[in-house]
Amino acid sequence: GDSVTQTEGLVTLTEGLPVMLNCTYQTAYSTFLFWYVQHLNEAPKLLLKSSTDNKRTEHQGFHATLHKSSSSFHLQKSSAQLSDSALYYCALSDLDSNYQLIWGSGTKLIIKP
Amino acid sequence: EAAVTQSPRNKVAVTGGKVTLSCNQTNNHNNMYWYRQDTGHGLRLIHYSYGAGSTEKGDIPDGYKASRPSQENFSLILELATPSQTSVYFCASGDGTGDTQYFGPGTRLLVL
């Protein structure tokens, strides 16, 4: 079955440094990949979504590129801000999951001054 | 953006009591979902629905029932609440495009 792997449970960075959160997935189908962000005491919100191989998707300073050859959809930002501190979930949706979201375990990102 | 509301926002219940969590969406999405979120477990799917009158079991349905009386409303019912059901519960609606999901603000449930 489908699965999503986020290898880092916690990432701590200094403000201004680049951010990269890893996401790899396993599926036999054509798929949609998502990044959701959840700030403290808030609901998860869609950050990025892609289904196109090798196309960079950008939103709110973050970007990710779906690479089907390596089954990856890493989240990146060139310069971290304090307000980026949050929980980040990678997820996928495809025919095998009946288009429900299969969630990764989440990465907590803490940005320090 | 999709509007999903939940009530109540906070709830204290007693063990063995009945709890009903309500969710309303105003965007005419067919799909609706109930999740719980606990530290160390991420988001776990309890029940979901593809439309009015339909409910399906998710990954952790034991101890929960769901009801979808209309396109807009989706309820989660704990017939006999237990302390292990203390959690934050999120409702979401999906637009069927992939399926992008839009979340409500969550309900914090404490079962004593």
Side-chain angles (χ1 to χ4, degrees):
Chain A
D2 296 348
S3 64
V4 176
T5 301
Q6 295 180 249
T7 52
E8 311 107 341
L10 173 65
V11 173
T12 304
L13 290 171
T14 301
E15 187 179 17
L17 291 181
V19 177
M20 180 163 171
L21 305 184
N22 291 317
C23 174
T24 56
Y25 62 93
Q26 195 166 16
T27 181
Y29 296 89
S30 179
T31 187
F32 290 86
L33 267 294
F34 303 79
W35 277 101
Y36 280 78
V37 58
Q38 185 180 22
H39 288 95
L40 189 63
N41 296 323
E42 294 184 7
K45 292 181 182 178
L46 179 67
L47 181 58
L48 293 172
K49 171 184 176 181
S50 180
S51 61
T52 306
D53 197 14
N54 297 317
K55 181 180 178 181
R56 175 173 163 140
T57 301
E58 299 189 42
H59 186 60
Q60 296 183 337
F62 287 90
H63 64 91
T65 302
L66 177 57
H67 290 297
K68 293 186 179 181
S69 60
S70 58
S71 299
S72 67
F73 191 57
H74 305 318
L75 182 67
Q76 299 183 68
K77 187 177 185 184
S78 59
S79 176
Q81 299 176 284
L82 295 175
S83 59
D84 294 331
S85 295
L87 183 57
Y88 291 82
Y89 286 104
C90 184
L92 75 78
S93 168
D94 63 16
L95 179 63
D96 189 45
S97 72
N98 218 9
Y99 293 104
Q100 295 170 36
L101 288 178
I102 305 299
W103 296 89
S105 54
T107 298
K108 185 174 183 178
L109 178 64
I110 297 175
I111 307 300
K112 295 184 174 181
Chain B
E1 187 170 321
V4 181
T5 57
Q6 294 182 231
S7 64
R9 295 294 312 279
N10 294 279
K11 173 75 177 179
V12 179
V14 296
T15 297
K18 182 177 181 178
V19 176
T20 300
L21 306 182
S22 298
C23 178
N24 177 275
Q25 56 102 358
T26 59
N27 292 279
N28 202 32
H29 288 166
N30 287 331
N31 302 341
M32 295 187 75
Y33 305 86
W34 276 107
Y35 293 92
R36 64 177 286 177
Q37 185 178 40
D38 306 284
T39 304
H41 288 281
L43 289 162
R44 292 185 288 175
L45 183 63
I46 305 170
H47 283 288
Y48 59 100
S49 169
Y50 291 124
S54 106
T55 60
E56 305 287 342
K57 293 180 179 179
D59 299 324
I60 54 163
D62 293 347
Y64 302 93
K65 291 184 180 179
S67 174
R68 182 89 181 269
S70 65
Q71 181 80 339
E72 297 80 19
N73 295 296
F74 190 38
S75 297
L76 185 68
I77 303 149
L78 290 66
E79 295 277 5
L80 294 169
T82 69
S84 65
Q85 293 175 313
T86 292
S87 188
V88 179
Y89 291 85
F90 287 102
C91 175
S93 71
D95 65 3
T97 308
D99 174 40
T100 302
Q101 293 184 17
Y102 300 89
F103 284 78
T107 295
R108 290 186 177 273
L109 174 64
L110 173 62
V111 182
L112 299 174

